[in-house]
Amino acid sequence: MATDTWVETERGLVYGPSGKQLDAYRPAGAPGPVPTVLLWHGIGPDERDVLEPLARTAAAHGLLVLVPDWRSDPADGARAQLLESLAFARKEAGGLGGDGESFVLAGWSAGAPAALGVALRPEVADGRRPAAVVGIAGRYDLPAFISGGVALADLAAGLDPAVPVHLVHGSRDTIVDAGHSRDLAEALRAAGREVTLRETGTDHAGVIMTEYDPAVNRCRPTTAEHAVRAGRLVAEVLVAAAG
């Protein structure tokens, strides 16, 4: 376990039969259990490290943040891995200093519609919904990993997420246009569901406190002001979602 002034980190925890690993971030010296966030990365394979800047920022705000690796290329399209990480959060968060009974499910990019899919179609997760969903720079008009459902179509068909949905998107995102989050927010409001949408002046990578490095085809941490500001906003939204 690594510790700095604000955050304790446990890395490489195996979370299920797939053998995939996750990292846990929690506030250093927390006197008791803290709210838990399970945070899914995007479609890039095994990119839990990409979310470290955001996870550390959120943990410093008083959350246990669990960030698992997952891949989209298995035959089941990552369903088993994502479900394993859900089961781990419920079973093991308490031992890591968090709350496993009631946790926020969050995702960035392709992880965002996957998170919402669990709320819209809880039967994929033994009928259990998270306490809230946070979608970060997501697209909601395509089938989601884990549920296979299309969020906008599910809402039009009358499916109900039944939990608050919080959306954050970079207004300068050229990978996944912010209009996708606006469309989802409009659909949720039209259905009478609880939703918030926050936009911030950054891009697809910046919203998680990173920048895209084409040399390695991967996002890496950045201290650019727009990204730091965006990451702090996302952390605040995660805290609000955790109640």
Side-chain angles (χ1 to χ4, degrees):
M1 179 177 69
T3 305
D4 62 21
T5 304
W6 303 106
V7 177
E8 297 173 349
T9 307
E10 290 193 50
R11 302 184 189 277
L13 301 173
V14 175
Y15 65 76
S18 66
K20 289 297 181 184
Q21 299 178 352
L22 62 72
D23 296 335
Y25 303 83
R26 61 175 173 262
V34 297
T36 300
V37 174
L38 178 61
L39 177 59
W40 287 338
H41 64 69
I43 199 169
D46 298 336
E47 288 193 334
R48 72 183 194 270
D49 60 297
V50 167
L51 289 174
E52 178 167 357
L54 174 59
R56 294 184 70 83
T57 300
H61 281 68
L63 302 175
L64 169 68
V65 185
L66 307 176
V67 187
D69 276 339
W70 63 276
R71 299 180 65 97
S72 63
D73 52 7
D76 70 350
R79 175 179 288 203
Q81 293 171 21
L82 295 175
L83 287 174
E84 286 174 16
S85 72
L86 275 169
F88 181 95
R90 292 187 175 116
K91 183 178 180 182
E92 305 295 343
L96 293 169
D99 182 354
E101 292 301 315
S102 176
F103 63 91
V104 172
L105 183 54
W108 168 65
S109 196
L116 181 58
V118 175
L120 285 167
R121 299 185 178 218
E123 65 272 13
V124 304
D126 297 326
R128 301 173 69 182
R129 289 182 169 94
V133 169
V134 177
I136 308 162
R139 182 170 178 174
Y140 306 96
D141 61 343
L142 296 173
F145 293 107
I146 204 171
S147 72
V150 177
L152 289 174
D154 283 350
L155 287 167
L159 271 64
D160 182 1
V163 299
V165 177
H166 304 273
L167 306 173
V168 186
H169 217 118
S171 60
R172 304 204 308 261
D173 193 331
T174 60
I175 304 300
V176 178
D177 189 85
H180 290 290
S181 286
R182 295 177 199 137
D183 288 347
L184 179 65
E186 182 179 347
L188 286 163
R189 291 188 190 110
R193 309 309 175 201
E194 184 177 351
V195 60
T196 66
L197 170 60
R198 303 289 297 275
E199 294 189 37
T200 182
T202 191
D203 57 18
H204 197 64
V207 77
I208 56 165
M209 306 180 83
T210 66
E211 62 182 3
Y212 176 67
D213 184 351
V216 295
N217 189 30
R218 201 173 185 88
C219 294
R220 63 182 185 184
T222 181
T223 57
E225 191 275 336
H226 66 89
V228 172
R229 183 177 63 248
R232 288 173 177 166
L233 171 63
V234 175
E236 291 168 4
V237 170
L238 292 170
V239 170

